[in-house]
Amino acid sequence: MESDELRIGTAEREEAARLLADHFGMGRITPDEYETRVTDAYAATTLGDLRPLFRDLPQPHPGYFGIPPLYVQPTTQLPMYAPAVLDPYAPPPAPMPYAPPMPVPYSYRSKTVAGVLQIVLPFGVGRFYTGQVGLGLLQLFVCMITFGFGAIWPMIDGIMLLANGGEDAQGRPLRP
């Protein structure tokens, strides 16, 4: 390792700036940090002025810093790309504590209006009201093809809407 008081030249300053640009390109330092560190690198006069610029960065470091130490302290954090190793003989994880389900917001459309429309006008009008245009068109075509005998389906659908409610086109429950 070289002495921190050893004076450096333009070549060393430019190598430090180039390596800082590499670290910046890899996303290890922010643009503001990069600008500050490069400014400090060009203002440096000794090796001791350059060392702090690379202290918190992994390799590559300038070659004139000397050989990096062979022993690096192990970190407790695993790399992000390491897969988790599951023990097949480990007991199953504890169940999550019960959390009540999030309430689903009601639709601004009413199940009563939809059900009455299905019964009074039995050709899919209630489904058009709820925003389910495809189902409404299907009920309309069934009524037209069967000359009105297919109206039993929209009537039963209306009774089911009144009894159980239903959902609008966005999947929200109809208002009671």
Side-chain angles (χ1 to χ4, degrees):
M1 298 286 275
E2 297 288 335
S3 171
D4 282 349
E5 281 76 33
L6 185 65
R7 293 188 66 88
I8 59 170
T10 304
E12 288 86 2
R13 289 184 197 99
E14 288 177 354
E15 181 182 357
R18 182 184 56 77
L19 291 173
L20 287 170
D22 291 345
H23 287 292
F24 172 67
M26 292 180 192
R28 293 183 179 131
I29 54 177
T30 65
D32 293 333
E33 287 177 307
Y34 171 69
E35 183 179 335
T36 303
R37 290 181 192 216
V38 167
T39 303
D40 291 346
Y42 280 116
T45 56
T46 64
L47 279 178
D49 295 336
L50 288 180
R51 282 194 203 283
L53 302 178
F54 291 91
R55 189 162 286 138
D56 61 339
L57 295 173
Q59 293 291 334
H61 290 177
Y64 48 83
F65 278 0
I67 300 171
L70 296 177
Y71 177 74
V72 177
Q73 293 235 348
T75 61
T76 57
Q77 182 180 2
L78 291 175
M80 288 178 45
Y81 55 84
V85 178
L86 299 177
D87 182 9
Y89 301 108
M96 295 294 292
Y98 173 74
M102 295 295 295
V104 177
Y106 279 108
S107 173
Y108 61 91
R109 301 181 192 275
S110 169
K111 74 175 187 176
T112 307
V113 174
V116 169
L117 283 173
Q118 281 290 92
I119 294 170
V120 174
L121 301 169
F123 46 87
V125 174
R127 289 302 176 173
F128 286 113
Y129 168 75
T130 62
Q132 297 169 331
V133 178
L135 186 56
L137 285 172
L138 187 60
Q139 289 179 353
L140 175 65
F141 289 137
V142 167
C143 286
M144 287 174 42
I145 291 172
T146 61
F147 302 107
F149 290 111
I152 190 78
W153 175 27
M155 285 184 177
I156 292 173
D157 192 29
I159 294 168
M160 296 297 290
L161 282 171
L162 288 172
N164 301 331
E167 295 178 342
D168 65 0
Q170 287 81 29
R172 298 175 297 192
L174 297 174
R175 238 180 337 112

